[in-house]
Amino acid sequence: MAGTHEHEHHDHGHKHEHKHEHEEAGQHGAHVHGLAKLLLSQENDQLEMVFESPAMNIVGFEHRASTKKEIQAVEQSEKKLAVTEQLFAFAGGKCMPQEAVVDVSALEASKGKSQEHSEVKANYVFKCANAKAVKSVEVKLLELFPGIEKLDVEWITSSGQGAQTLTQKSNTLQIR
Protein backbone atom coordinates (compact mmCIF):
# COMPACT_ATOMS: atom_id res chain seq x y z
CA MET A 1 0.00 0.00 0.00
CA ALA A 2 3.02 2.31 0.05
CA GLY A 3 2.62 5.30 -2.24
CA THR A 4 -1.18 5.16 -2.41
CA HIS A 5 -1.58 8.31 -0.33
CA GLU A 6 1.08 10.47 -1.93
CA HIS A 7 -1.25 13.50 -2.07
CA GLU A 8 -2.39 13.18 1.54
CA HIS A 9 -0.59 16.34 2.64
CA HIS A 10 -1.78 18.36 -0.35
CA ASP A 11 -2.82 21.93 0.52
CA HIS A 12 -6.61 21.99 0.08
CA GLY A 13 -6.85 25.72 0.76
CA HIS A 14 -6.24 26.60 -2.90
CA LYS A 15 -8.85 27.98 -5.28
CA HIS A 16 -10.95 25.45 -7.17
CA GLU A 17 -9.80 26.74 -10.56
CA HIS A 18 -6.58 24.73 -10.39
CA LYS A 19 -6.47 21.47 -12.27
CA HIS A 20 -6.94 18.38 -10.13
CA GLU A 21 -5.51 15.75 -12.46
CA HIS A 22 -4.12 13.76 -9.56
CA GLU A 23 -7.50 13.62 -7.84
CA GLU A 24 -9.79 13.15 -10.80
CA ALA A 25 -7.75 11.17 -13.32
CA GLY A 26 -9.32 7.87 -12.34
CA GLN A 27 -12.88 9.17 -12.27
CA HIS A 28 -15.04 8.91 -15.38
CA GLY A 29 -12.43 9.69 -18.04
CA ALA A 30 -10.35 12.35 -16.29
CA HIS A 31 -12.68 15.27 -15.64
CA VAL A 32 -10.14 18.11 -15.70
CA HIS A 33 -11.10 21.78 -15.55
CA GLY A 34 -9.66 23.76 -18.45
CA LEU A 35 -9.65 20.69 -20.70
CA ALA A 36 -12.36 19.72 -23.22
CA LYS A 37 -12.67 17.11 -25.97
CA LEU A 38 -13.77 17.23 -29.58
CA LEU A 39 -14.18 14.19 -31.80
CA LEU A 40 -14.47 14.72 -35.55
CA SER A 41 -15.41 12.06 -38.07
CA GLN A 42 -16.01 12.24 -41.78
CA GLU A 43 -18.11 9.79 -43.75
CA ASN A 44 -18.72 10.55 -47.42
CA ASP A 45 -19.68 14.24 -47.53
CA GLN A 46 -20.82 14.42 -43.92
CA LEU A 47 -18.70 15.69 -41.04
CA GLU A 48 -19.82 15.00 -37.51
CA MET A 49 -18.36 16.53 -34.37
CA VAL A 50 -18.96 15.62 -30.75
CA PHE A 51 -17.91 18.17 -28.12
CA GLU A 52 -17.63 17.41 -24.37
CA SER A 53 -16.50 19.73 -21.63
CA PRO A 54 -16.75 20.04 -17.87
CA ALA A 55 -19.50 22.59 -17.21
CA MET A 56 -16.99 24.70 -15.25
CA ASN A 57 -15.25 25.58 -18.57
CA ILE A 58 -18.51 26.71 -20.15
CA VAL A 59 -20.60 28.40 -17.44
CA GLY A 60 -18.18 28.74 -14.51
CA PHE A 61 -19.91 26.24 -12.21
CA GLU A 62 -20.90 22.56 -12.17
CA HIS A 63 -23.99 22.38 -9.98
CA ARG A 64 -27.60 22.76 -11.07
CA ALA A 65 -28.39 26.35 -11.96
CA SER A 66 -30.49 27.83 -9.17
CA THR A 67 -30.09 31.60 -9.26
CA LYS A 68 -31.38 33.81 -12.06
CA LYS A 69 -27.77 34.63 -13.01
CA GLU A 70 -26.81 30.92 -13.21
CA ILE A 71 -29.90 30.03 -15.23
CA GLN A 72 -29.10 32.90 -17.60
CA ALA A 73 -25.48 31.68 -17.96
CA VAL A 74 -26.69 28.19 -18.90
CA GLU A 75 -29.21 29.55 -21.43
CA GLN A 76 -26.65 31.90 -23.01
CA SER A 77 -24.05 29.13 -23.27
CA GLU A 78 -26.59 26.76 -24.80
CA LYS A 79 -27.43 29.40 -27.43
CA LYS A 80 -23.75 30.08 -28.17
CA LEU A 81 -23.05 26.37 -28.58
CA ALA A 82 -25.92 26.03 -31.05
CA VAL A 83 -24.63 28.66 -33.51
CA THR A 84 -22.24 26.50 -35.51
CA GLU A 85 -21.14 29.33 -37.83
CA GLN A 86 -19.56 31.08 -34.83
CA LEU A 87 -17.89 27.89 -33.58
CA PHE A 88 -16.25 26.38 -36.67
CA ALA A 89 -14.72 27.70 -39.90
CA PHE A 90 -13.77 25.21 -42.61
CA ALA A 91 -10.93 25.67 -45.10
CA GLY A 92 -12.22 23.98 -48.26
CA GLY A 93 -15.13 21.62 -48.84
CA LYS A 94 -17.95 24.18 -48.41
CA CYS A 95 -19.55 22.65 -45.30
CA MET A 96 -23.00 23.74 -44.16
CA PRO A 97 -24.47 22.99 -40.73
CA GLN A 98 -27.27 20.40 -40.78
CA GLU A 99 -27.80 19.78 -37.08
CA ALA A 100 -26.64 21.09 -33.71
CA VAL A 101 -27.80 19.31 -30.55
CA VAL A 102 -26.62 20.90 -27.30
CA ASP A 103 -27.08 19.07 -23.99
CA VAL A 104 -26.88 21.22 -20.85
CA SER A 105 -29.42 19.10 -18.97
CA ALA A 106 -26.90 18.33 -16.20
CA LEU A 107 -27.12 22.04 -15.25
CA GLU A 108 -30.85 22.59 -15.57
CA ALA A 109 -32.60 23.09 -12.24
CA SER A 110 -35.60 20.94 -13.10
CA LYS A 111 -33.73 17.86 -14.34
CA GLY A 112 -33.07 14.99 -11.90
CA LYS A 113 -30.50 15.02 -9.14
CA SER A 114 -27.38 17.14 -9.16
CA GLN A 115 -24.03 15.64 -10.10
CA GLU A 116 -20.69 16.60 -8.64
CA HIS A 117 -18.96 16.96 -12.01
CA SER A 118 -21.47 18.06 -14.65
CA GLU A 119 -20.64 17.92 -18.35
CA VAL A 120 -21.83 19.98 -21.29
CA LYS A 121 -22.13 18.05 -24.54
CA ALA A 122 -22.92 19.00 -28.12
CA ASN A 123 -23.23 17.11 -31.40
CA TYR A 124 -22.79 18.84 -34.75
CA VAL A 125 -23.46 17.51 -38.24
CA PHE A 126 -22.27 19.28 -41.39
CA LYS A 127 -23.01 18.44 -45.02
CA CYS A 128 -20.08 19.32 -47.25
CA ALA A 129 -20.04 19.87 -51.01
CA ASN A 130 -16.75 17.94 -50.94
CA ALA A 131 -15.66 16.76 -47.48
CA LYS A 132 -12.41 15.39 -48.92
CA ALA A 133 -11.44 18.97 -49.82
CA VAL A 134 -11.62 20.15 -46.18
CA LYS A 135 -8.01 20.81 -45.19
CA SER A 136 -8.50 22.35 -41.77
CA VAL A 137 -11.09 23.49 -39.26
CA GLU A 138 -10.70 26.63 -37.18
CA VAL A 139 -12.27 25.83 -33.81
CA LYS A 140 -13.50 28.98 -32.06
CA LEU A 141 -14.77 27.25 -28.91
CA LEU A 142 -11.62 28.29 -27.02
CA GLU A 143 -12.21 31.93 -27.95
CA LEU A 144 -15.91 31.91 -27.02
CA PHE A 145 -15.38 29.96 -23.80
CA PRO A 146 -12.13 31.15 -22.16
CA GLY A 147 -12.52 28.49 -19.46
CA ILE A 148 -11.34 25.99 -22.08
CA GLU A 149 -7.56 26.16 -21.96
CA LYS A 150 -6.91 23.03 -24.02
CA LEU A 151 -9.11 21.18 -26.48
CA ASP A 152 -8.04 17.61 -27.18
CA VAL A 153 -9.22 16.71 -30.68
CA GLU A 154 -9.31 13.28 -32.24
CA TRP A 155 -10.30 12.99 -35.89
CA ILE A 156 -10.87 10.35 -38.51
CA THR A 157 -11.45 11.09 -42.19
CA SER A 158 -11.21 9.26 -45.50
CA SER A 159 -7.53 10.28 -45.68
CA GLY A 160 -6.52 9.09 -42.22
CA GLN A 161 -6.81 9.79 -38.53
CA GLY A 162 -4.99 11.77 -35.91
CA ALA A 163 -5.05 13.75 -32.72
CA GLN A 164 -4.14 17.32 -31.92
CA THR A 165 -4.38 19.59 -28.89
CA LEU A 166 -5.74 23.05 -29.63
CA THR A 167 -5.23 26.14 -27.48
CA GLN A 168 -6.43 29.73 -27.63
CA LYS A 169 -3.25 30.64 -29.50
CA SER A 170 -3.35 27.62 -31.81
CA ASN A 171 -6.97 26.81 -32.64
CA THR A 172 -6.82 25.31 -36.14
CA LEU A 173 -7.19 21.59 -36.62
CA GLN A 174 -5.21 20.26 -39.58
CA ILE A 175 -6.95 17.18 -40.99
CA ARG A 176 -5.19 16.88 -44.38
Side-chain angles (χ1 to χ4, degrees):
M1 297 292 287
T4 57
H5 298 286
E6 60 194 63
H7 297 287
E8 199 167 81
H9 301 292
H10 181 77
D11 176 18
H12 290 284
H14 58 65
K15 292 182 181 179
H16 192 69
E17 64 197 23
H18 294 289
K19 294 182 188 89
H20 297 286
E21 295 177 65
H22 60 275
E23 295 172 8
E24 301 180 42
Q27 302 173 9
H28 308 293
H31 176 98
V32 180
H33 298 167
L35 179 66
K37 293 179 186 174
L38 182 70
L39 305 174
L40 179 145
S41 63
Q42 176 238 327
E43 190 172 325
N44 300 318
D45 283 332
Q46 182 171 302
L47 277 177
E48 185 172 351
M49 292 189 229
V50 177
F51 171 70
E52 292 183 10
S53 174
M56 179 66 77
N57 300 344
I58 306 300
V59 294
F61 56 89
E62 294 191 320
H63 54 271
R64 300 243 177 249
S66 57
T67 67
K68 187 174 183 176
K69 186 177 179 179
E70 289 173 347
I71 292 167
Q72 206 170 28
V74 171
E75 289 171 352
Q76 288 173 348
S77 295
E78 184 177 23
K79 285 178 186 170
K80 270 193 210 178
L81 285 167
V83 184
T84 54
E85 297 86 353
Q86 292 179 8
L87 303 176
F88 308 104
F90 298 91
K94 293 188 176 129
C95 299
M96 300 299 295
Q98 297 297 298
E99 183 179 30
V101 178
V102 180
D103 180 6
V104 294
S105 61
L107 297 169
E108 292 174 341
S110 61
K111 309 274 183 172
K113 69 179 189 96
S114 187
Q115 298 175 4
E116 195 174 316
H117 296 293
S118 299
E119 299 278 325
V120 171
K121 299 176 183 175
N123 286 34
Y124 303 100
V125 178
F126 298 87
K127 182 83 172 164
C128 304
N130 181 4
K132 292 177 183 169
V134 177
K135 303 222 180 305
S136 65
V137 182
E138 182 184 0
V139 181
K140 301 175 186 175
L141 288 160
L142 297 116
E143 182 182 317
L144 290 170
F145 299 99
I148 303 172
E149 296 167 19
K150 288 183 183 177
L151 182 64
D152 283 345
V153 184
E154 293 179 27
W155 54 269
I156 184 164
T157 67
S158 58
S159 65
Q161 63 185 33
Q164 187 176 340
T165 298
L166 302 180
T167 64
Q168 292 176 358
K169 291 182 178 155
S170 176
N171 69 344
T172 302
L173 173 65
Q174 300 296 328
I175 58 176
R176 298 200 204 287

